[in-house]
Amino acid sequence: MSAPLTILRPGLLTTVQDLGRAGHQHMGVPAGGAMDDVALRLANLLVGNDPGLAALETTLQGPALRFEGETVIAVTGADQSPTLDGKPLPPWRAVRVRAGGELAFGAPRSGCRAYLAVAGGIDVPRVLGARATYLPARIGGLEGRALRAGDELAIGETPVRSRTRGLHVDVVPRYEGTLRLVPSGQFASLQPNARTRFLHEEFRVERRSDRMGVRMEGPVLGFREPMELLSGGVAHGTVQLPPDGQPIVLAADRQTTGGYPRLGEVCTVDLPSLAQLRPGDTVRFTTIAPEEARRLYLERERRIAALSLALRSTR
Amino acid sequence: MAAERGRGSADSFLRMRIEPLGDRAFLVHFADDGVSPASPFCLAGDALRELPWVTDVVSGLASLAVHVDPRRVAPDEAAEVVVERLLTMPDLPAAASHVVEIPVTYDGPDLEAVAAHCGLEPDEVVRRHVAPVYEVRMIGFMPGFPYLARLDEMLHTPRLETPRPRVPAGSVGIGGAQTGIYPFESPGGWRLIGRTDTVLFDAAREPASLLAVGDRVRFVERR
């Protein structure tokens, strides 16, 4: 066991997350995990961890914390002005921390969620196969809740190779303001005017957005005829259209079933962009064919695999 | 995409429609005329989860959502395999033979309102609620939350216009044509007629969810 880390200030909403718990949706438990799974994986790879170890996910205003022992950390995702012992901490880079070192987040400059990985990973018990925190049922993470001042988090064994290195700027993920949607069977039933507005106008992210869903405010949309639907399974990225005509994009901690009509699903490679949307941000939608969406996903996974190999072999 | 095959043209269960659910999942819809009982294919989740590239199967009221690993299979190819498997299953899945009894104290804050809406006395509401053997049609909304079919038509009551911000754990409610139980404290729009101490979801238990799709449930009045 490595020396723990201590939470000094919790920030707005900081939770322990990993890549989530697959295979439990039939019990009503979503996979959950990091909203921006790519940022979490890259943070882990930078510090020499397996990509699926647990890290901290911060929201808008990040925490302040102290590392009781010497270690290596990396911060990825949103830019929340991180400082280490008072000096700006470069993102997307593994950095050595001395025993007693303090990391603090300041003004949120861009994006919504940042990820802090520590060499060895955050060591909390696995629940239903994962360390991810699922707040609605108080499962996982630290006691199933958001972190508080005074919390102490155990860190796992430090991996053998723990170097300081960073991602080349060309490889750092880019977050887009356009979300590509695989259309549902109901998409064609949108009123022609609504379809045009959905694909050409801006939507604004509402304040009430969270890990369960990102609510959009914009042109009021409707279908040509009333939709009589029976509840069924939904996905991370499902765009629902409730009776008020304002879309909701379901997120990591979503309900596993829903009864509202669906416009479609945001493609997997655009989920990190969804994760980084802040209340007040504007976003646009466009459509993508499922085969093309899958191609982009496979391509992205190949790139991450290549990066993982490169990081493992640098000296 | 439509795949229409059947063992008998009159059998509405066997008309299936595939729809993408993003780039890593698809929905298999079964015909539902609102009158026939649930398609037995909605109980086929366990059989499909055996397929190596299936990551999860979620039963809907008249559908299955099949989540796959797109690194191992293309979703449209996976859909063809799933439909083939459903149509060639040697035995259609059946509802559970045992019945789970759930003791309930019928003192919910909406009991009077439901009685008034249905034109019944409150104890008649209770009598009609404990009478049927219900079938779990879907688990969703929250971990372990069961959507129970076969609610007495006389008890159908629309959801609240504005959901309550907090519904106590164990609340037994009516939402439209269904009845169900809230496993955790959560916001909720169903009409609350009672409560139970039975734990519906416990992550430390195996299985974590007390109920699964296809299980049968009976409510028992606790005085």
Side-chain angles (χ1 to χ4, degrees):
Chain A
M1 270 320 137
S2 310
L5 68 85
T6 306
I7 305 295
L8 303 172
R9 276 194 326 265
L12 184 63
L13 175 67
T14 304
T15 53
V16 176
Q17 298 293 349
D18 61 9
L19 295 177
R21 45 186 65 85
H24 295 91
Q25 290 187 73
H26 62 281
M27 286 198 297
V29 182
M35 286 275 286
D36 182 349
D37 72 294
V38 173
L40 181 139
R41 289 155 74 189
L42 293 178
N44 273 324
L45 290 172
L46 283 166
V47 301
N49 287 345
D50 277 347
L53 288 190
L56 296 188
E57 177 183 270
T58 74
T59 313
L60 293 171
Q61 175 59 59
L65 44 92
R66 184 174 60 236
F67 300 92
E68 305 301 343
E70 186 186 325
T71 186
V72 176
I73 65 171
V75 172
T76 60
D79 179 358
Q80 296 169 356
S81 312
T83 57
L84 182 64
D85 292 329
K87 293 205 310 269
L89 177 76
W92 307 99
R93 168 169 290 276
V95 174
R96 270 197 207 293
V97 180
R98 61 174 183 88
E102 288 188 13
L103 171 71
F105 289 86
R109 278 200 286 253
S110 69
C112 186
R113 296 173 171 94
Y115 295 85
L116 166 66
V118 185
I122 307 289
D123 189 8
V124 291
R126 282 196 178 86
V127 178
L128 293 175
R131 297 186 168 99
T133 310
Y134 177 59
L135 294 168
R138 293 194 277 279
I139 287 174
L142 184 70
E143 297 161 11
R145 58 171 175 78
L147 296 180
R148 300 200 277 251
D151 282 340
E152 226 178 57
L153 290 170
I155 309 293
E157 286 298 326
T158 310
V160 172
R161 280 187 302 279
S162 214
R163 328 194 150 72
T164 55
R165 58 272 174 97
L167 290 187
H168 191 277
V169 65
D170 288 348
V171 200
V172 171
R174 271 193 274 277
Y175 300 110
E176 307 291 346
T178 298
L179 300 175
R180 291 166 292 190
L181 185 89
V182 173
S184 71
Q186 293 126 53
F187 188 78
S189 300
L190 275 172
Q191 287 163 0
N193 181 49
R195 182 202 162 92
T196 305
R197 303 191 76 186
F198 179 69
L199 295 176
H200 289 96
E201 293 187 24
E202 279 181 348
F203 289 81
R204 185 173 299 271
V205 176
E206 262 201 61
R207 248 180 345 104
R208 283 179 307 151
S209 302
D210 57 21
R211 283 181 50 92
M212 291 188 73
V214 180
R215 292 173 180 268
M216 302 289 175
E217 190 180 55
V220 174
L221 308 173
F223 291 97
R224 287 200 301 262
E225 59 271 322
M227 292 259 134
E228 269 296 323
L229 290 158
L230 294 169
S231 295
V234 290
H236 184 172
T238 289
V239 181
Q240 294 183 312
L241 193 65
D244 67 2
Q246 302 286 261
I248 303 173
V249 188
L250 299 184
D253 286 351
R254 71 193 188 286
Q255 293 174 212
T256 51
T257 57
Y260 292 140
R262 293 163 30 246
L263 297 183
E265 278 64 36
V266 172
C267 65
T268 300
V269 299
D270 284 352
L271 292 178
S273 296
L274 177 73
Q276 296 301 347
L277 291 174
R278 290 177 299 184
D281 280 353
T282 55
V283 81
R284 288 176 186 274
F285 291 96
T286 185
T287 56
I288 185 171
E291 303 79 27
E292 173 65 7
R294 179 173 177 246
R295 190 188 68 75
L296 291 175
Y297 171 74
L298 294 177
E299 195 180 275
R300 182 192 82 179
E301 291 304 299
R302 275 194 290 269
R303 279 206 302 274
I304 293 176
L307 196 60
S308 168
L309 219 57
L311 287 172
R312 261 204 282 272
S313 59
T314 50
R315 301 220 167 277
Chain B
M1 197 197 315
E4 292 203 344
R5 281 181 268 184
R7 297 174 207 179
S9 56
D11 197 339
S12 65
F13 297 152
L14 299 178
R15 264 175 293 140
M16 297 181 202
R17 184 171 57 85
I18 306 290
E19 183 195 0
L21 181 66
D23 51 25
R24 296 189 267 181
F26 55 90
L27 287 159
V28 184
H29 295 280
F30 309 107
D32 184 280
D33 56 11
V35 174
S36 315
S39 167
F41 291 122
C42 288
L43 305 181
D46 285 342
L48 296 178
R49 273 187 279 275
E50 287 170 9
L51 290 163
W53 31 255
V54 168
T55 58
D56 219 331
V57 182
V58 179
S59 300
L61 295 181
S63 63
L64 287 176
V66 183
H67 297 261
V68 302
D69 181 348
R71 290 167 300 187
R72 301 179 68 176
V73 75
D76 56 350
E77 283 166 26
E80 286 183 20
V81 173
V82 164
V83 169
E84 185 67 40
R85 186 162 277 224
L86 289 174
L87 292 176
T88 58
M89 287 175 79
D91 295 298
L92 290 179
S97 52
H98 70 281
V99 179
V100 176
E101 288 200 345
I102 310 252
V104 177
T105 304
Y106 282 94
D107 62 357
D110 297 328
L111 181 61
E112 304 267 341
V114 168
H117 177 268
C118 301
L120 302 167
E121 290 298 315
D123 36 286
E124 179 68 14
V125 170
V126 174
R127 262 199 298 279
R128 285 173 178 269
H129 194 253
V130 300
V133 173
Y134 297 93
E135 194 178 299
V136 180
R137 290 280 296 268
M138 192 168 76
I139 303 277
F141 172 64
M142 290 240 82
F145 185 110
Y147 288 76
L148 303 172
R150 308 242 181 89
L151 178 68
D152 189 323
E153 266 186 39
M154 293 286 298
L155 299 185
H156 290 194
T157 310
R159 293 162 170 77
L160 294 170
E161 281 275 323
T162 310
R164 287 184 169 85
R166 258 205 323 266
V167 165
S171 294
V172 176
I174 290 175
Q178 285 151 102
T179 185
I181 310 160
Y182 286 87
F184 302 94
E185 183 182 279
S186 72
W190 288 27
R191 306 281 183 164
L192 310 180
I193 59 173
R195 58 194 163 81
T196 181
D197 291 330
T198 302
V199 175
L200 269 89
F201 188 87
D202 179 356
R205 189 175 56 191
E206 173 62 41
S209 176
L210 177 74
L211 299 172
V213 171
D215 281 351
R216 301 199 299 165
V217 169
R218 178 188 273 125
F219 293 104
V220 173
E221 185 180 9
R222 199 176 51 199
R223 292 170 188 282

